[in-house]
Amino acid sequence: MEKKRKNRIIIFFKTAMLVLTLIYPCMMTILSGAGVYYNRESYGAELGNVGILLVLSGILMTLGAVLCIFRKNIINVISLVFSCSGFALCMTMLYKLCDHADRAGWSDKYTMTPVSDMYKSRIIPCIAPFVMAAAFAVIQLVSYEAAEERRIRKLKKQQKENAPAPKIIDEQ
C-alpha cells in the first residue's frame, strides 16, 4: 500500500512539473523569444540572437522535463544536462534582454511600467519546473532502486563473463 501511495505522489508531482513546463518554458519563454526574433528589425541584430537563444533555452528545458519522466540512467543524465543548460541559457538571455530594455527605456505605453518587468514576470517562473525536473532526474539517478538495478546488471555481466565455456567437441 505504501509503494502505491508513493507512486501516486510521484505521478502527481511529475504531472504538475509537466503542466508548469508547458506554461513557462514552453509557452512563455519560447513565445517571448519568438516575439523578440520576429521584431528583430526594430530591435537590432543582437536582440534577434537573444530571441533565438531564448527559444533554444525553452526547448532545452522542455526536453529536459519530458526526459526526466523516464527512469533510465542515461536518459536522466541527458535530462539533467538539458534542464541545467537550458535554464542557464534562459537566465542569461533574460538578463541581456532586460538590460537592453532598461537601457533603451522601454515601457508600457499605458501604465509606464518597464518592459523588463514584464519579461521577468513571464520568464522567472521557469525556476519551478527547472528545479522539479532537476530534482526528479537526480533522485532517480541516486535512488535505491537505480542502485539495485545497476548492481544486478553488474552481477549478470560478471556471471556471463565467468560462465563455463561451451563444449567444442560433443562427447558420446
Side-chain angles (χ1 to χ4, degrees), residues 15 27 30-31 66 68 79 89 111 113 127 130 139 142-143 148 151 157 166 169:
T15 305
M27 298 287 280
I30 291 175
L31 292 178
V66 169
C68 83
S79 167
L89 183 62
T111 62
T113 57
I127 292 172
F130 158 70
I139 287 170
V142 298
S143 70
E148 281 297 307
R151 186 183 67 78
K157 183 178 177 184
I169 300 174

Side-chain angles (χ1 to χ4, degrees), residues 53-146:
L53 292 174
L54 268 174
V55 170
L56 177 65
S57 71
I59 291 170
L60 286 172
M61 286 190 290
T62 302
L63 284 174
V66 169
L67 289 176
C68 83
I69 293 172
F70 306 107
R71 298 192 54 90
K72 297 284 185 187
N73 288 335
I74 189 70
I75 293 176
N76 281 313
V77 170
I78 293 170
S79 167
L80 201 55
V81 169
F82 281 2
S83 293
C84 291
S85 61
F87 182 72
L89 183 62
C90 180
M91 290 299 122
T92 304
M93 293 305 110
L94 176 63
Y95 173 77
K96 285 186 174 195
L97 184 61
C98 290
D99 184 51
H100 182 83
D102 288 340
R103 281 188 285 119
W106 295 351
S107 62
D108 186 326
K109 63 182 173 183
Y110 300 112
T111 62
M112 295 307 290
T113 57
V115 172
S116 62
D117 289 349
M118 177 197 62
Y119 282 121
K120 288 176 189 173
S121 67
R122 286 182 183 178
I123 296 176
I124 290 214
C126 288
I127 292 172
F130 158 70
V131 168
M132 291 173 84
F136 280 126
V138 168
I139 287 170
Q140 289 174 169
L141 281 171
V142 298
S143 70
Y144 176 75
E145 291 88 10

Side-chain angles (χ1 to χ4, degrees), residues 140-164:
Q140 289 174 169
L141 281 171
V142 298
S143 70
Y144 176 75
E145 291 88 10
E148 281 297 307
E149 184 181 307
R150 287 189 294 268
R151 186 183 67 78
I152 290 170
R153 200 169 41 235
K154 185 177 178 182
L155 280 174
K156 285 182 181 178
K157 183 178 177 184
Q158 286 176 348
Q159 288 174 349
K160 189 176 181 182
E161 288 174 354
N162 295 334

